[in-house]
Amino acid sequence: MAFDLVVKNITLPNGKTRMDIACKNGKISAIENNINAEAKTIIDGEGFLVSPPFVDPHFHLDATLSLGRPRMNVSGTLLEGIGLWGELKPIQTVEEIVERALKYCDLAVAMGIGAIRSHVDICDDELKGVEALLAVKKQVAPYLELQLVAFPQDGFYRCATAEQNLIRSLDMGVEVVGGIPHFERRMDEGAASIKALCEMAAQRDLMVDMHCDETDDPMSRHVETLAFETQRLGLQGRVTGSHLTSMHSMDNYYVSKLIPLLAEAELHAIANPLINIMLQGRHDSYPKRRGQTRVPELRAAGINVAFGSDCVMDPWYSLGKACMLDVAHMGLHVAQLSSREDMAWCFDAVTKNAAKAMGLKNYGLKKGCDANFVLLQASDTIEAIRLRANRLAVVRGGKIIAKTPRQETELFLPRRPDILDPANYSPT
Ligand code: FE2
């Protein structure tokens, strides 16, 4: 059988070396040692790592690449970012949002991202972001899977038109229900928003992903209600709590009760390490809290934990380059995930765990899965994180859709031959 593409001599994320991967009709046909059948295209993987695509489970495509417009975030806080975004919303056009989002999608593809869950702000009565991102979703569908979340940025109850706008956006084709309970006016309104939004998702058979407790306030306990409503409505496995930063500051005894409740509800947890470390703890003097949710403890309880990038060059974050390895690198440091096993897990947090949170189908490096993968200039997953490895080739549906030249540095340095020659070397 002639394959469309074979990549030879690769290393898999599980550590297996000298493997070949073969693709036919957009699917992975085989992953074995020494595939010798004919293929239209054959690539030498040179022993490098092949990974399933990176997945960004938490992003804001409607705000990305808007940095500096209409002004910079001076305090650097989450709240000034929300205020600044509120200034940009009325003056930006659908065309601008489309242009910026498409530019970002190109970058994401080049960086090996195969799927993005993007929140889209529905508190603009014209729903410009929704219109723009639905168009972008259609356009990029052949090479990038976009999943859109209806996100009431200014509060489901706090913003007078959010409820009707959110329903309109779901009717237009946005497929996940969002929320922001900690931003409502009162704790009880936050809880009521979770109840209403989860009921809406259950009625429409949709997934839920809420910005939940993105605050340093240890009393922000909305994730408890999110888990409760998930179980009450039978939404287990289809609900995500994003950020959950207040958990960092919560009382340990309360957390010991809370985490099992999240596990029972089969909640997915998404931390956004770059943004959490940048925005949380801003009201602290010293010591300053890190603000990232309790990743090792959530993971130990069997909860699916993923890392998202959240922002790139927008009102909340001035940096970023669609690099999920940057995200994993930061998450690893902030949570002190330094054992070999923990570091390898951080790679899962930006690949298969993120795919699981999004409910992606046919994802992974197995026979029959979609032939989507990335050839990285690294020998294993830990080295990929350490180097934020170069994406040598990005494959989608068995075709190469992006290539980056191998990164090599030539050194021109003076050397002392007597030291370099082992015969002349003496430690004394
Ligand atoms: Fe976010």
Side-chain angles (χ1 to χ4, degrees):
M1 158 162 132
F3 294 114
D4 297 326
L5 172 72
V6 173
V7 186
K8 297 192 72 69
N9 188 20
I10 59 166
T11 299
L12 297 175
N14 63 11
K16 279 192 185 171
T17 57
R18 296 194 183 87
M19 302 297 286
D20 297 348
I21 183 166
C23 313
K24 174 99 180 161
N25 298 330
K27 300 285 180 190
I28 294 173
S29 307
I31 304 182
E32 295 164 17
N33 287 113
N34 269 327
I35 296 173
N36 287 316
E38 281 180 27
K40 287 180 205 156
T41 307
I42 295 175
I43 301 175
D44 179 5
E46 299 179 77
F48 288 130
L49 175 69
V50 160
S51 156
F54 295 111
V55 174
D56 189 349
H58 187 112
F59 196 66
H60 295 263
L61 264 178
D62 50 357
T64 195
L65 305 183
S66 68
L67 181 68
R69 193 151 187 268
R71 61 180 178 83
M72 300 297 286
N73 182 337
V74 179
S75 68
T77 59
L78 171 64
L79 293 179
E80 185 176 343
I82 294 174
L84 178 49
W85 173 236
E87 293 171 35
L88 177 56
K89 272 193 274 188
I91 59 170
Q92 65 178 354
T93 63
V94 173
E95 291 71 27
E96 269 177 71
I97 304 169
V98 168
E99 192 185 332
R100 291 198 313 253
L102 282 176
K103 198 171 167 188
Y104 184 80
C105 289
D106 286 352
L107 175 63
V109 167
M111 296 299 276
I113 293 177
I116 300 173
R117 174 181 276 180
S118 174
H119 296 253
V120 51
D121 187 353
I122 53 82
C123 290
D124 151 37
D125 291 343
E126 294 175 66
L127 293 180
K128 285 183 280 192
V130 173
E131 187 185 333
L133 294 193
L134 283 170
V136 169
K137 179 183 157 102
K138 217 174 183 177
Q139 191 163 334
V140 303
Y143 53 87
L144 180 63
E145 186 163 352
L146 283 191
Q147 199 177 69
L148 300 180
V149 186
F151 175 45
Q153 170 77 76
D154 300 329
F156 184 63
Y157 290 128
R158 194 168 167 182
C159 166
T161 51
E163 186 167 359
Q164 67 193 57
N165 290 352
L166 199 138
I167 291 167
R168 276 168 62 208
S169 66
L170 296 179
D171 289 343
M172 286 165 74
V174 174
E175 66 252 73
V176 182
V177 177
I180 187 164
H182 58 277
F183 197 70
E184 304 293 346
R185 291 190 189 89
R186 298 192 316 260
M187 288 289 185
D188 60 338
E189 277 200 335
S193 77
I194 294 171
K195 182 171 183 283
L197 289 160
C198 285
E199 283 174 356
M200 205 182 282
Q203 272 167 12
R204 291 174 179 251
D205 200 20
L206 299 175
M207 290 186 286
V208 175
D209 186 340
M210 293 197 191
H211 284 67
C212 195
D213 304 323
E214 188 184 3
T215 158
D216 292 315
D217 174 7
M219 297 311 291
S220 187
R221 296 176 166 187
H222 292 294
V223 69
E224 176 189 274
T225 306
L226 186 62
F228 174 78
E229 291 299 332
T230 299
Q231 280 194 300
R232 183 178 72 84
L233 295 161
L235 291 170
Q236 289 93 333
R238 292 162 54 197
V239 176
T240 295
S242 277
H243 290 293
L244 307 178
T245 53
S246 73
M247 200 185 293
H248 185 93
S249 300
M250 283 173 182
D251 171 73
N252 286 337
Y253 186 85
Y254 173 68
V255 173
S256 74
K257 179 203 168 195
L258 176 66
I259 289 182
L261 293 175
L262 309 188
E264 275 175 36
E266 296 169 43
L267 227 65
H268 304 278
I270 296 177
N272 296 292
L274 292 166
I275 308 310
N276 299 153
I277 199 68
M278 185 62 101
L279 297 182
Q280 300 306 309
R282 287 274 176 162
H283 293 234
D284 294 352
S285 55
Y286 289 94
K288 283 181 189 287
R289 286 167 290 177
R290 300 176 188 208
Q292 184 168 278
T293 195
R294 302 193 188 198
V295 172
E297 292 78 8
L298 288 165
R299 188 183 153 214
I303 292 165
N304 181 46
V305 184
F307 291 156
S309 67
D310 203 3
C311 304
V312 169
M313 297 181 75
D314 68 9
W316 296 274
Y317 188 61
S318 302
L319 305 174
K321 56 172 190 177
C323 179
M324 294 310 292
L325 290 170
D326 260 350
V327 173
H329 190 263
M330 182 60 78
L332 181 158
H333 282 80
V334 175
Q336 300 179 324
L337 293 163
S338 54
S339 74
R340 301 290 294 175
E341 195 270 339
D342 282 346
M343 289 193 285
W345 175 87
C346 288
F347 193 88
D348 293 345
V350 294
T351 51
K352 64 183 185 187
N353 296 6
K356 188 176 176 189
M358 284 180 65
L360 298 185
K361 305 267 187 295
N362 304 318
Y363 175 89
L365 293 182
K366 280 188 188 147
K367 189 177 172 181
C369 288
D370 292 336
N372 303 336
F373 50 86
V374 188
L375 178 64
L376 293 157
Q377 192 181 339
S379 59
D380 60 33
T381 54
I382 295 170
E383 189 174 79
I385 293 174
R386 183 175 72 83
L387 300 175
R388 266 74 92 224
N390 197 10
R391 283 73 165 166
L392 294 166
V394 179
V395 172
R396 183 86 181 179
K399 294 191 176 76
I400 297 167
I401 58 166
K403 270 171 91 172
T404 303
R406 188 169 165 161
Q407 192 180 355
E408 280 171 314
T409 303
E410 280 186 81
L411 288 171
F412 304 98
L413 301 174
R415 294 289 198 204
R416 283 178 52 189
D418 56 327
I419 289 180
L420 285 176
D421 182 350
N424 297 331
Y425 178 73
S426 160
T428 56

PDB file of all heavy atoms in Angstrom, residues 212-235:
ATOM      1  N   CYS A 212     -13.439  31.112  36.406  1.00  0.00           N
ATOM      2  CA  CYS A 212     -14.005  30.859  37.735  1.00  0.00           C
ATOM      3  C   CYS A 212     -12.993  31.211  38.813  1.00  0.00           C
ATOM      4  O   CYS A 212     -11.883  30.676  38.819  1.00  0.00           O
ATOM      5  CB  CYS A 212     -14.404  29.385  37.827  1.00  0.00           C
ATOM      6  SG  CYS A 212     -15.473  29.032  39.214  1.00  0.00           S
ATOM      7  N   ASP A 213     -13.364  32.128  39.681  1.00  0.00           N
ATOM      8  CA  ASP A 213     -12.508  32.490  40.816  1.00  0.00           C
ATOM      9  C   ASP A 213     -11.138  32.978  40.357  1.00  0.00           C
ATOM     10  O   ASP A 213     -10.117  32.634  40.971  1.00  0.00           O
ATOM     11  CB  ASP A 213     -12.357  31.294  41.786  1.00  0.00           C
ATOM     12  CG  ASP A 213     -13.691  30.777  42.284  1.00  0.00           C
ATOM     13  OD1 ASP A 213     -14.599  31.598  42.512  1.00  0.00           O
ATOM     14  OD2 ASP A 213     -13.826  29.546  42.444  1.00  0.00           O
ATOM     15  N   GLU A 214     -11.106  33.806  39.319  1.00  0.00           N
ATOM     16  CA  GLU A 214      -9.824  34.376  38.876  1.00  0.00           C
ATOM     17  C   GLU A 214      -9.551  35.600  39.741  1.00  0.00           C
ATOM     18  O   GLU A 214      -9.725  36.749  39.333  1.00  0.00           O
ATOM     19  CB  GLU A 214      -9.861  34.752  37.386  1.00  0.00           C
ATOM     20  CG  GLU A 214      -8.483  35.171  36.870  1.00  0.00           C
ATOM     21  CD  GLU A 214      -8.476  35.638  35.428  1.00  0.00           C
ATOM     22  OE1 GLU A 214      -9.561  35.709  34.811  1.00  0.00           O
ATOM     23  OE2 GLU A 214      -7.385  35.944  34.920  1.00  0.00           O
ATOM     24  N   THR A 215      -9.146  35.326  40.954  1.00  0.00           N
ATOM     25  CA  THR A 215      -8.943  36.354  41.974  1.00  0.00           C
ATOM     26  C   THR A 215      -8.036  35.780  43.052  1.00  0.00           C
ATOM     27  O   THR A 215      -7.876  34.559  43.151  1.00  0.00           O
ATOM     28  CB  THR A 215     -10.320  36.779  42.570  1.00  0.00           C
ATOM     29  OG1 THR A 215     -10.120  37.353  43.858  1.00  0.00           O
ATOM     30  CG2 THR A 215     -11.264  35.618  42.749  1.00  0.00           C
ATOM     31  N   ASP A 216      -7.443  36.678  43.843  1.00  0.00           N
ATOM     32  CA  ASP A 216      -6.635  36.229  44.983  1.00  0.00           C
ATOM     33  C   ASP A 216      -7.473  36.101  46.250  1.00  0.00           C
ATOM     34  O   ASP A 216      -6.938  35.811  47.318  1.00  0.00           O
ATOM     35  CB  ASP A 216      -5.503  37.234  45.250  1.00  0.00           C
ATOM     36  CG  ASP A 216      -4.477  37.253  44.130  1.00  0.00           C
ATOM     37  OD1 ASP A 216      -4.081  36.167  43.681  1.00  0.00           O
ATOM     38  OD2 ASP A 216      -4.063  38.356  43.717  1.00  0.00           O
ATOM     39  N   ASP A 217      -8.777  36.369  46.137  1.00  0.00           N
ATOM     40  CA  ASP A 217      -9.654  36.336  47.309  1.00  0.00           C
ATOM     41  C   ASP A 217      -9.932  34.885  47.706  1.00  0.00           C
ATOM     42  O   ASP A 217     -10.618  34.155  46.976  1.00  0.00           O
ATOM     43  CB  ASP A 217     -10.974  37.049  46.946  1.00  0.00           C
ATOM     44  CG  ASP A 217     -12.009  36.951  48.040  1.00  0.00           C
ATOM     45  OD1 ASP A 217     -11.685  36.448  49.139  1.00  0.00           O
ATOM     46  OD2 ASP A 217     -13.163  37.368  47.792  1.00  0.00           O
ATOM     47  N   PRO A 218      -9.407  34.464  48.863  1.00  0.00           N
ATOM     48  CA  PRO A 218      -9.598  33.050  49.248  1.00  0.00           C
ATOM     49  C   PRO A 218     -11.056  32.680  49.484  1.00  0.00           C
ATOM     50  O   PRO A 218     -11.406  31.504  49.515  1.00  0.00           O
ATOM     51  CB  PRO A 218      -8.778  32.925  50.537  1.00  0.00           C
ATOM     52  CG  PRO A 218      -8.643  34.311  51.065  1.00  0.00           C
ATOM     53  CD  PRO A 218      -8.654  35.221  49.875  1.00  0.00           C
ATOM     54  N   MET A 219     -11.911  33.713  49.654  1.00  0.00           N
ATOM     55  CA  MET A 219     -13.328  33.430  49.870  1.00  0.00           C
ATOM     56  C   MET A 219     -14.101  33.298  48.549  1.00  0.00           C
ATOM     57  O   MET A 219     -15.303  33.054  48.568  1.00  0.00           O
ATOM     58  CB  MET A 219     -13.956  34.530  50.731  1.00  0.00           C
ATOM     59  CG  MET A 219     -13.364  34.630  52.138  1.00  0.00           C
ATOM     60  SD  MET A 219     -13.263  33.032  52.978  1.00  0.00           S
ATOM     61  CE  MET A 219     -14.996  32.695  53.222  1.00  0.00           C
ATOM     62  N   SER A 220     -13.434  33.473  47.438  1.00  0.00           N
ATOM     63  CA  SER A 220     -14.097  33.281  46.153  1.00  0.00           C
ATOM     64  C   SER A 220     -14.177  31.774  45.896  1.00  0.00           C
ATOM     65  O   SER A 220     -13.195  31.137  45.528  1.00  0.00           O
ATOM     66  CB  SER A 220     -13.303  33.990  45.043  1.00  0.00           C
ATOM     67  OG  SER A 220     -14.020  33.943  43.821  1.00  0.00           O
ATOM     68  N   ARG A 221     -15.349  31.207  46.163  1.00  0.00           N
ATOM     69  CA  ARG A 221     -15.506  29.746  46.180  1.00  0.00           C
ATOM     70  C   ARG A 221     -16.530  29.275  45.146  1.00  0.00           C
ATOM     71  O   ARG A 221     -17.255  28.313  45.377  1.00  0.00           O
ATOM     72  CB  ARG A 221     -15.934  29.294  47.579  1.00  0.00           C
ATOM     73  CG  ARG A 221     -14.894  29.575  48.645  1.00  0.00           C
ATOM     74  CD  ARG A 221     -15.410  29.200  50.030  1.00  0.00           C
ATOM     75  NE  ARG A 221     -14.320  29.161  51.012  1.00  0.00           N
ATOM     76  CZ  ARG A 221     -14.461  28.732  52.261  1.00  0.00           C
ATOM     77  NH1 ARG A 221     -15.648  28.310  52.680  1.00  0.00           N
ATOM     78  NH2 ARG A 221     -13.441  28.712  53.083  1.00  0.00           N
ATOM     79  N   HIS A 222     -16.598  29.990  44.029  1.00  0.00           N
ATOM     80  CA  HIS A 222     -17.623  29.653  43.044  1.00  0.00           C
ATOM     81  C   HIS A 222     -17.415  28.276  42.408  1.00  0.00           C
ATOM     82  O   HIS A 222     -18.362  27.659  41.941  1.00  0.00           O
ATOM     83  CB  HIS A 222     -17.685  30.733  41.964  1.00  0.00           C
ATOM     84  CG  HIS A 222     -18.205  32.027  42.466  1.00  0.00           C
ATOM     85  ND1 HIS A 222     -19.500  32.192  42.907  1.00  0.00           N
ATOM     86  CD2 HIS A 222     -17.601  33.231  42.652  1.00  0.00           C
ATOM     87  CE1 HIS A 222     -19.683  33.437  43.319  1.00  0.00           C
ATOM     88  NE2 HIS A 222     -18.548  34.093  43.183  1.00  0.00           N
ATOM     89  N   VAL A 223     -16.191  27.795  42.429  1.00  0.00           N
ATOM     90  CA  VAL A 223     -15.955  26.481  41.813  1.00  0.00           C
ATOM     91  C   VAL A 223     -16.741  25.388  42.554  1.00  0.00           C
ATOM     92  O   VAL A 223     -17.144  24.381  41.953  1.00  0.00           O
ATOM     93  CB  VAL A 223     -14.440  26.163  41.736  1.00  0.00           C
ATOM     94  CG1 VAL A 223     -13.837  25.921  43.103  1.00  0.00           C
ATOM     95  CG2 VAL A 223     -14.195  24.980  40.808  1.00  0.00           C
ATOM     96  N   GLU A 224     -16.989  25.633  43.839  1.00  0.00           N
ATOM     97  CA  GLU A 224     -17.806  24.694  44.618  1.00  0.00           C
ATOM     98  C   GLU A 224     -19.213  24.596  44.001  1.00  0.00           C
ATOM     99  O   GLU A 224     -19.758  23.509  43.814  1.00  0.00           O
ATOM    100  CB  GLU A 224     -17.872  25.225  46.049  1.00  0.00           C
ATOM    101  CG  GLU A 224     -18.724  24.476  47.009  1.00  0.00           C
ATOM    102  CD  GLU A 224     -18.848  25.254  48.330  1.00  0.00           C
ATOM    103  OE1 GLU A 224     -17.986  25.100  49.202  1.00  0.00           O
ATOM    104  OE2 GLU A 224     -19.830  26.017  48.475  1.00  0.00           O
ATOM    105  N   THR A 225     -19.780  25.762  43.663  1.00  0.00           N
ATOM    106  CA  THR A 225     -21.116  25.791  43.036  1.00  0.00           C
ATOM    107  C   THR A 225     -21.056  25.192  41.634  1.00  0.00           C
ATOM    108  O   THR A 225     -21.981  24.485  41.215  1.00  0.00           O
ATOM    109  CB  THR A 225     -21.628  27.251  42.959  1.00  0.00           C
ATOM    110  OG1 THR A 225     -21.569  27.809  44.269  1.00  0.00           O
ATOM    111  CG2 THR A 225     -23.046  27.318  42.438  1.00  0.00           C
ATOM    112  N   LEU A 226     -19.964  25.467  40.914  1.00  0.00           N
ATOM    113  CA  LEU A 226     -19.831  24.914  39.556  1.00  0.00           C
ATOM    114  C   LEU A 226     -19.838  23.381  39.609  1.00  0.00           C
ATOM    115  O   LEU A 226     -20.503  22.723  38.806  1.00  0.00           O
ATOM    116  CB  LEU A 226     -18.538  25.431  38.909  1.00  0.00           C
ATOM    117  CG  LEU A 226     -18.325  25.071  37.444  1.00  0.00           C
ATOM    118  CD1 LEU A 226     -19.420  25.645  36.546  1.00  0.00           C
ATOM    119  CD2 LEU A 226     -16.945  25.557  36.950  1.00  0.00           C
ATOM    120  N   ALA A 227     -19.142  22.819  40.582  1.00  0.00           N
ATOM    121  CA  ALA A 227     -19.125  21.356  40.727  1.00  0.00           C
ATOM    122  C   ALA A 227     -20.508  20.843  41.109  1.00  0.00           C
ATOM    123  O   ALA A 227     -20.986  19.826  40.584  1.00  0.00           O
ATOM    124  CB  ALA A 227     -18.095  20.956  41.789  1.00  0.00           C
ATOM    125  N   PHE A 228     -21.182  21.565  42.007  1.00  0.00           N
ATOM    126  CA  PHE A 228     -22.515  21.143  42.455  1.00  0.00           C
ATOM    127  C   PHE A 228     -23.503  21.131  41.282  1.00  0.00           C
ATOM    128  O   PHE A 228     -24.237  20.160  41.068  1.00  0.00           O
ATOM    129  CB  PHE A 228     -23.020  22.087  43.562  1.00  0.00           C
ATOM    130  CG  PHE A 228     -24.434  21.819  43.970  1.00  0.00           C
ATOM    131  CD1 PHE A 228     -24.733  20.759  44.815  1.00  0.00           C
ATOM    132  CD2 PHE A 228     -25.483  22.597  43.480  1.00  0.00           C
ATOM    133  CE1 PHE A 228     -26.055  20.488  45.175  1.00  0.00           C
ATOM    134  CE2 PHE A 228     -26.805  22.331  43.840  1.00  0.00           C
ATOM    135  CZ  PHE A 228     -27.085  21.274  44.684  1.00  0.00           C
ATOM    136  N   GLU A 229     -23.527  22.224  40.505  1.00  0.00           N
ATOM    137  CA  GLU A 229     -24.464  22.309  39.379  1.00  0.00           C
ATOM    138  C   GLU A 229     -24.130  21.272  38.300  1.00  0.00           C
ATOM    139  O   GLU A 229     -25.019  20.735  37.644  1.00  0.00           O
ATOM    140  CB  GLU A 229     -24.453  23.725  38.778  1.00  0.00           C
ATOM    141  CG  GLU A 229     -25.047  24.783  39.690  1.00  0.00           C
ATOM    142  CD  GLU A 229     -26.521  24.531  40.043  1.00  0.00           C
ATOM    143  OE1 GLU A 229     -27.247  23.899  39.243  1.00  0.00           O
ATOM    144  OE2 GLU A 229     -26.939  24.948  41.140  1.00  0.00           O
ATOM    145  N   THR A 230     -22.834  20.999  38.144  1.00  0.00           N
ATOM    146  CA  THR A 230     -22.408  19.982  37.176  1.00  0.00           C
ATOM    147  C   THR A 230     -23.022  18.635  37.525  1.00  0.00           C
ATOM    148  O   THR A 230     -23.579  17.938  36.665  1.00  0.00           O
ATOM    149  CB  THR A 230     -20.867  19.884  37.170  1.00  0.00           C
ATOM    150  OG1 THR A 230     -20.333  21.145  36.777  1.00  0.00           O
ATOM    151  CG2 THR A 230     -20.381  18.805  36.222  1.00  0.00           C
ATOM    152  N   GLN A 231     -22.959  18.294  38.805  1.00  0.00           N
ATOM    153  CA  GLN A 231     -23.515  17.003  39.239  1.00  0.00           C
ATOM    154  C   GLN A 231     -25.041  17.013  39.206  1.00  0.00           C
ATOM    155  O   GLN A 231     -25.663  16.053  38.750  1.00  0.00           O
ATOM    156  CB  GLN A 231     -23.030  16.676  40.648  1.00  0.00           C
ATOM    157  CG  GLN A 231     -21.617  16.109  40.633  1.00  0.00           C
ATOM    158  CD  GLN A 231     -21.251  15.463  41.951  1.00  0.00           C
ATOM    159  OE1 GLN A 231     -21.265  16.125  42.978  1.00  0.00           O
ATOM    160  NE2 GLN A 231     -20.905  14.188  41.926  1.00  0.00           N
ATOM    161  N   ARG A 232     -25.631  18.099  39.643  1.00  0.00           N
ATOM    162  CA  ARG A 232     -27.105  18.185  39.694  1.00  0.00           C
ATOM    163  C   ARG A 232     -27.710  18.004  38.308  1.00  0.00           C
ATOM    164  O   ARG A 232     -28.753  17.367  38.134  1.00  0.00           O
ATOM    165  CB  ARG A 232     -27.518  19.550  40.275  1.00  0.00           C
ATOM    166  CG  ARG A 232     -29.025  19.721  40.446  1.00  0.00           C
ATOM    167  CD  ARG A 232     -29.373  21.053  41.075  1.00  0.00           C
ATOM    168  NE  ARG A 232     -29.185  22.190  40.192  1.00  0.00           N
ATOM    169  CZ  ARG A 232     -30.068  22.618  39.296  1.00  0.00           C
ATOM    170  NH1 ARG A 232     -31.231  22.007  39.168  1.00  0.00           N
ATOM    171  NH2 ARG A 232     -29.821  23.665  38.525  1.00  0.00           N
ATOM    172  N   LEU A 233     -27.016  18.554  37.296  1.00  0.00           N
ATOM    173  CA  LEU A 233     -27.565  18.536  35.938  1.00  0.00           C
ATOM    174  C   LEU A 233     -27.001  17.406  35.074  1.00  0.00           C
ATOM    175  O   LEU A 233     -27.293  17.328  33.885  1.00  0.00           O
ATOM    176  CB  LEU A 233     -27.291  19.891  35.264  1.00  0.00           C
ATOM    177  CG  LEU A 233     -28.002  21.081  35.924  1.00  0.00           C
ATOM    178  CD1 LEU A 233     -27.348  22.389  35.527  1.00  0.00           C
ATOM    179  CD2 LEU A 233     -29.491  21.076  35.552  1.00  0.00           C
ATOM    180  N   GLY A 234     -26.181  16.554  35.683  1.00  0.00           N
ATOM    181  CA  GLY A 234     -25.633  15.423  34.915  1.00  0.00           C
ATOM    182  C   GLY A 234     -24.655  15.852  33.836  1.00  0.00           C
ATOM    183  O   GLY A 234     -24.570  15.223  32.777  1.00  0.00           O
ATOM    184  N   LEU A 235     -23.903  16.916  34.111  1.00  0.00           N
ATOM    185  CA  LEU A 235     -22.961  17.430  33.110  1.00  0.00           C
ATOM    186  C   LEU A 235     -21.527  16.930  33.346  1.00  0.00           C
ATOM    187  O   LEU A 235     -20.568  17.495  32.812  1.00  0.00           O
ATOM    188  CB  LEU A 235     -22.961  18.966  33.138  1.00  0.00           C
ATOM    189  CG  LEU A 235     -24.225  19.661  32.635  1.00  0.00           C
ATOM    190  CD1 LEU A 235     -24.183  21.159  32.956  1.00  0.00           C
ATOM    191  CD2 LEU A 235     -24.399  19.457  31.135  1.00  0.00           C
TER     192      LEU A 235
END
